Amino acid sequence: MASPQTLAVVKQTVPVLETYGTQITTVFYQNMFAEHPELLDIFNETNQKLGRQQSALATTVLAAAKHLEQLEVLLPQVMQIGHKHRALQIKPEHYPIVGKHLLGAIKEVLGDAATDEIINAWAEAYDEIASVFIKVEADMYQEAMWSGFIPFKVIKKEITGSDIAAFTVQPEDNSFDVSCLPLTAGQYITVKTDPEDSDHIALRHYSLYSVDSSEGLKFAVRRDNRNEHHGLVSNHLHDKVEVGDTLLLSAPAGDFELNQSLIEQNDIPLVLISAGVGVTPVLAMLEAQVKANPKRPIIWAYACQNQDFHAFDGRVNALLEQAEQVQKSTFYFESNQLLNEEWLKTLPNPADVYVCGSMIFMDSMIDGLAALEHSNDYIHYEPFGPKMSLSAG
């Protein structure tokens, strides 16, 4: 536990960090990567360029500062971030590097206002916060289905919609039987690649679209070429990786999962809302639900550009046919069919809601559900970006 003096100083600096937080984290990343360019192999370059990582870190630091005397309040957020860290193989030895450059960035941005008392207090606070993460992540490493990154061979590659590649992979080690793995709907794997157009190794998370691993692990990748952005890893996987090639994967991770206490119940419907490639984890959830209890009412909503971009439609329909009570809605943006608050008003309340898509889509859905007084306990989400940068974080 941090000392009373440290708690007082950190609390006093919260308004300052609210004002300068993103500026501090931007300087932090610049300085850390300048001194440790090898860490560019871990951090997502796209999230850096778009400012998502800086925003997420600033949100996390502020939340920790506000709750330093009772960090257990932040355990759900710590678990979310911990899953990402374990999947990326972030280890205890990385935390002192982060601490050094975070304190340095605070000093650089605040200048003379960052007194020795403030820097010392934040050093103690950071050590306290880091110890919580390290402990949580140690348990995750212990529970992981395998250690580090291991080679998998691509045995199937299919295009669904017009921009999503669905991969099925098997371990190159024939003694490793993935059909017995305790996969959970909503989890993701992490792919380690060495794209030709980059000077660095690149790591990306991709959701499993099925928990049936009898043929292998199944995940999907959207080609990311929108808004003048050229997705380094997604294009590499689409254009360079074919059946017979090898990919390095770390063990499945993530806390985006169905509420187990409700799966067998039929009084609270399951609502699955997704956009674009966000369909992948909720598709696995749909599969898990109809297998466990096909009597539960299911509301399925999917949004994408147009019919050409509609992913996994045949698989979704086949699964929905196994359920006894189904409501399916499809929205094509180019036809001005919008998945918005007007549609959210049609949902029953209470409902067990799971949402996945872009950051903008996620913000819209979460804000809309909150405005309609859906309980936070029944709203679950998985954005494709740093989770703590969402308004609900």
Side-chain angles (χ1 to χ4, degrees):
M1 173 67 72
S3 68
Q5 182 180 358
T6 290
L7 290 173
V9 172
V10 169
K11 290 280 188 180
Q12 290 170 4
T13 60
V14 166
V16 177
L17 265 74
E18 286 178 328
T19 301
Y20 295 100
T22 301
Q23 185 178 346
I24 289 170
T25 54
T26 299
V27 171
F28 155 75
Y29 280 115
Q30 290 173 346
N31 293 346
M32 183 176 69
F33 291 146
E35 187 168 318
H36 294 274
E38 72 278 5
L39 294 181
L40 287 165
D41 290 346
I42 296 176
F43 289 86
N44 188 314
E45 184 178 354
T46 298
N47 289 335
Q48 292 288 326
K49 289 180 178 178
L50 297 178
R52 294 172 181 167
Q53 198 73 52
Q54 295 89 328
S55 175
L57 179 59
T59 303
T60 303
V61 170
L62 279 171
K66 292 176 180 178
H67 298 91
L68 189 58
E69 74 277 21
Q70 48 178 172
L71 287 173
E72 64 272 11
V73 172
L74 297 179
L75 189 58
Q77 289 87 350
V78 172
M79 295 294 289
Q80 293 160 6
I81 298 169
H83 279 288
K84 299 282 189 183
H85 286 180
R86 200 282 300 157
L88 295 169
Q89 300 296 292
I90 290 176
K91 298 294 181 67
E93 56 265 30
H94 291 124
Y95 281 90
I97 298 172
V98 170
K100 171 188 173 182
H101 289 285
L102 182 59
L103 295 174
I106 292 174
K107 183 69 175 177
E108 182 174 336
V109 172
L110 299 185
D112 293 340
T115 63
D116 289 344
E117 181 184 36
I118 290 175
I119 294 299
N120 291 337
W122 268 99
E124 184 181 346
Y126 175 79
D127 287 344
E128 183 82 10
I129 297 165
S131 67
V132 173
F133 275 94
I134 291 170
K135 183 179 184 303
V136 166
E137 291 160 17
D139 292 338
M140 292 179 176
Y141 278 104
Q142 187 68 30
E143 296 167 1
M145 298 175 200
W146 65 82
S147 298
F149 288 88
I150 65 172
F152 282 73
K153 187 174 292 294
V154 178
I155 63 169
K156 186 183 295 185
K157 178 183 179 183
E158 301 173 301
I159 302 298
T160 177
S162 63
D163 64 346
I164 295 176
F167 291 89
T168 303
V169 297
Q170 279 278 9
E172 289 193 344
D173 181 355
N174 294 329
S175 65
F176 184 13
D177 183 7
V178 295
S179 66
C180 300
L181 292 178
L183 301 178
T184 300
Q187 287 182 312
Y188 54 84
I189 51 84
T190 303
V191 179
K192 183 177 185 178
T193 62
D194 188 9
E196 295 177 352
D197 297 334
S198 175
D199 295 330
H200 302 279
I201 298 296
L203 310 179
R204 295 293 186 275
H205 307 302
Y206 296 111
S207 296
L208 299 172
Y209 68 83
S210 174
V211 290
D212 178 2
S213 56
S214 58
E215 296 179 357
L217 299 183
K218 300 176 180 179
F219 64 94
V221 180
R222 177 176 69 87
R223 184 191 290 275
D224 188 4
N225 283 339
R226 301 182 187 184
N227 302 323
E228 300 182 357
H229 170 70
H230 182 82
L232 180 68
V233 179
S234 67
N235 281 279
H236 172 78
L237 292 173
H238 271 259
D239 297 334
K240 304 296 183 181
V241 177
E242 301 295 342
V243 171
D245 290 338
T246 297
L247 291 172
L248 295 173
L249 272 60
S250 68
D255 62 343
F256 184 49
E257 59 186 50
L258 289 172
N259 185 332
Q260 297 299 309
S261 66
L262 297 178
I263 289 179
E264 296 294 342
Q265 299 182 26
N266 300 325
D267 54 338
I268 298 180
L270 173 65
V271 180
L272 300 171
I273 302 173
S274 61
V277 75
V279 68
T280 50
V282 296
L283 175 57
M285 291 178 176
L286 174 62
E287 175 191 79
Q289 178 62 62
V290 298
K291 182 178 180 180
N293 176 20
K295 294 183 179 181
R296 186 184 187 187
I298 297 174
I299 300 173
W300 176 272
Y302 179 64
C304 63
Q305 254 179 285
N306 54 44
Q307 188 171 4
D308 291 339
F309 284 83
H310 197 137
F312 293 109
D313 192 33
R315 182 173 177 83
V316 169
N317 289 334
L319 289 170
L320 289 175
E321 287 175 0
Q322 299 176 35
E324 296 184 10
Q325 301 182 62
V326 171
Q327 175 186 322
K328 181 188 179 187
S329 299
T330 303
F331 302 85
Y332 294 141
F333 302 140
E334 288 185 357
S335 300
N336 202 32
Q337 300 168 354
L338 302 179
L339 205 174
N340 54 22
E341 189 170 332
E342 289 304 309
W343 182 84
L344 292 177
K345 289 178 181 178
T346 69
L347 294 178
N349 191 357
D352 194 26
V353 186
Y354 298 80
V355 195
C356 189
S358 69
M359 304 298 283
I360 294 175
F361 178 79
M362 296 296 307
D363 277 330
S364 173
M365 293 296 99
I366 293 169
D367 290 345
L369 290 164
L372 295 169
E373 299 184 344
H374 283 261
S375 169
N376 284 336
D377 293 338
Y378 289 124
I379 301 175
H380 318 273
Y381 62 96
E382 178 76 340
F384 292 114
K387 197 166 188 172
M388 287 289 284
S389 63
L390 284 172
S391 57

